[in-house]
Amino acid sequence: MTADTIPSALPRSDSDRAATSMRRLMLAFLVMGFSALLVGATIGPLQALNYGGIDAYPALRPLLQSYYQGLTIHGVMNGYVFTFFVTCGLLVYLPARELGVAPNLAMWRACFAVMALGTLCVFYAMADNSSSVLWTFYPPLKGSPFFYIGITLLALGSTMPLPILLKMRATWRRHRPGEITPLVTYMSLTTMLMWGLAGVGVVAELVLQLDPWSLGLIGTVDPIVNRTLFWLTGHPIVYFWLMPAYVSWYGLLSRQVGGKLISDPMARITFALLMIFSLPVGTHHQFSDPGFSSIWRGILVVLTMSVATPSLVTAFTIGLSLEYAGRLRGGRGWFGWFSALPWGDPSVAAQVLAAVTFILGGATGVVNGSWQLNAIVHNTTFIPGHFHVTVGSVTAMTFMAISFWMVPHLTGRQLVSRRLALFSVWTWFVGMTIFAIGMTWAGLYGVPRRAWVSALPHETYHALYGMASVPLALVALGGVLLWVASYTFFAVFFGTILFGRRTAPPPIPFAQSFGGPASSTIDSPPNPAQSASPLIRALDHIWLLTGVTALATVAAYIPILWPFLHHVTRAPGWILW
């Protein structure tokens, strides 16, 4: 399969037009997503400087009125808009190319339009300082109807790739009966099925409670029920951030480093386990909330720790695949294979460094998921320290890595500077590591998260947080480095689109596993060897996996929601800005 055509039953002219439309739409998803990151990353270091005792917000009025307005914009633009647009582009485009089947372009365009409209609504609500409710938008804090309607549109739009994927897979299976879903498509589909189930929580919260509440149709809401519905979605969203990065690690990276994927079944097991384990455990974010029993809190600890299993499988499988490639490249000894990897390729460097930072993300996640340890770090800077080395490193760096080959692939333009791309990757890695270490370390001193500490009088700030002066200085330093890294990256990203030299578009680096086919497109030769694997065949029953996940989620949430629904708290809205 070439970079410019989609093998299919379509006439060649129609196929070429479909390929061109796909490339343009994929580029639009990337530009929209990374433009949101540009906004969020511009504001992000202001939060870091805040913890270093530097209050930049008074100098930015009337553009930004407060720390909380800035923090809301930072969280929403990075956590929702950036990740949703890039993911909803990648998880349609890559499977379409892998299968050689054109997606439903009308549905894909509608996905973009719905999320773009949602982005405009939510950004308007944040920019006019009417909705500084942070990215979790917990009631009874109350924002503008534009905010909640915008989030509703973003949530609904982000599920629209699911029917597109299902239709492409059905088309492919009709032409290749009895064969197993190709790996990238399988991983993309399980991700979207997981997200389709997870989205029920926040959509129910918004449509049944927050949307009508903000419009004045109802006078009160129940904060604890809304928190529970939010975390039904809010924990799996971490995997909606993470799983697209895993798609690249499993489905592309081993080809990029010059090797093969060690195990196709391990990749499928990882995604099946992530789908099943990610949904039932969201209420571990509510360990400090009242209203549900200690027995269920203990069960949640066990369920939460189970999510570490697919991450450990990934560490083993990707690590071994990288080692195989490194040794093919001449690496010797225990660690020679690591230095032999193609570190001059910014796409490879970004993904490998993202995987390294995820070690810290996984370790801190174990602390957050432990009932007793969580009591120590709850609502401290330890928490954002943790998720900045998940979404801020694994997701952001992998998406950056993908853009380094995908923008040339989509536009036929070379990167304007590989050196600048590498500089942005390494600076991001160093800055995020310093930032996360500072945040988690400061959290152990009890420094609160989501606190405008720099607005305190100088003497009060040092009396309260002087003991954490070193980690808080690291937070500020890491934030400044991330600022430099992000603007360097955007110079490469937008510079390539606008000014890159014309070149032949590089192909998509789809990985090949040991024993796997070189191609899985609809018109490639049959692959009976793959269909003979019992494990892969069992995992291909995606609706069975979906049913198991749904049942496990219902079983986990009914005992928690039931007492809340029978002891309703009616709270009016609070507007504190």
Side-chain angles (χ1 to χ4, degrees), residues 142 212-213 216-221 571-573:
K142 189 174 184 180
W213 179 54
L217 301 178
I218 59 176
T220 61
V221 292

Side-chain angles (χ1 to χ4, degrees), residues 373-440:
L373 295 178
N374 178 75
I376 299 172
V377 301
H378 178 69
N379 267 347
T380 70
T381 57
F382 190 98
I383 307 301
H386 159 69
F387 60 69
H388 275 83
V389 281
T390 52
V391 65
S393 63
V394 174
T395 304
M397 290 182 73
T398 302
F399 286 177
M400 290 162 63
I402 292 170
S403 76
F404 290 144
W405 66 260
M406 183 167 272
V407 170
H409 165 80
L410 297 173
T411 64
R413 293 179 181 272
Q414 291 181 351
L415 286 180
V416 290
S417 173
R418 289 172 66 92
R419 288 185 178 181
L420 271 182
L422 281 168
F423 176 82
S424 70
V425 165
W426 280 98
T427 308
W428 189 286
F429 169 71
V430 173
M432 188 61 73
T433 301
I434 292 172
F435 175 85
I437 289 173
M439 290 289 273
T440 52

Side-chain angles (χ1 to χ4, degrees), residues 364-375:
T364 53
V366 170
V367 174
N368 298 341
S370 304
W371 184 9
Q372 294 85 352
L373 295 178
N374 178 75

